């Protein structure tokens, strides 16, 4: 087997791995929190919120693993951190 064939096989394998992880990410549905929603959180993977600092209610997102180690995404509202001098 020549080196070009080996390089092509490695590139093909790497592209397949990247595509598989992108498909797995796309398969994760986003749930919107409402009062009383049952949350099965084993471990929080990441948390984010609107990028501009605001005083008031902002959009936030939490990505977590449930008790079956499945990735879940939850959108919710929270009070922003941009209030200066407020408690």
């Amino acid at each position: 087997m020549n080196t070009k064939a080996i390089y092509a096989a490695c590139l093909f394998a790497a592209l397949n791995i990247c595509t598989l992880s992108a498909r797995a990410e796309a398969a994760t549905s986003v749930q919107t929190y409402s009062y009383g929603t049952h949350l099965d959180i084993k471990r929080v993977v990441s948390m984010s919120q609107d990028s501009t600092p605001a005083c008031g209610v902002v959009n936030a997102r939490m990505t977590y693993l449930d008790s079956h180690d499945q990735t879940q995404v939850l959108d919710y509202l929270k009070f922003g951190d941009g209030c200066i001098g407020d408690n």
Side-chain angles (χ1 to χ4, degrees), residues 20 23 26 85:
L20 180 64
R23 274 188 259 148

Side-chain angles (χ1 to χ4, degrees), residues 3-19:
T3 56
K4 285 185 182 180
I6 293 172
Y7 289 142
C10 290
L11 179 62
F12 183 71
L15 289 174
N16 279 335
I17 290 170
C18 292
T19 323

Side-chain angles (χ1 to χ4, degrees), residues 1 6 25-26 30 32 35 37 44 47-48 57 68 77 79 81:
M1 203 179 207
I6 293 172
E25 219 173 88
V30 177
T32 302
Y35 183 78
T37 301
V44 175
M47 296 180 76
S48 62
V57 178
H68 303 290
L77 299 174
F79 200 73
D81 300 327

Side-chain angles (χ1 to χ4, degrees), residues 9-86:
C10 290
L11 179 62
F12 183 71
L15 289 174
N16 279 335
I17 290 170
C18 292
T19 323
L20 180 64
S21 66
R23 274 188 259 148
E25 219 173 88
T28 303
S29 63
V30 177
Q31 180 182 9
T32 302
Y33 178 81
S34 62
Y35 183 78
T37 301
H38 173 70
L39 299 176
D40 178 18
I41 301 173
K42 180 178 179 181
R43 183 172 64 93
V44 175
V45 176
S46 68
M47 296 180 76
S48 62
Q49 66 182 29
D50 290 342
S51 60
T52 56
C55 182
V57 178
V58 297
N59 295 313
R61 175 170 281 188
M62 176 175 59
T63 304
Y64 64 94
L65 296 177
D66 63 13
S67 60
H68 303 290
D69 289 328
Q70 299 294 316
T71 302
Q72 305 291 333
V73 178
L74 180 72
D75 283 343
Y76 62 98
L77 299 174
K78 67 172 261 183
F79 200 73
D81 300 327
C83 298
I84 298 173
D86 289 343

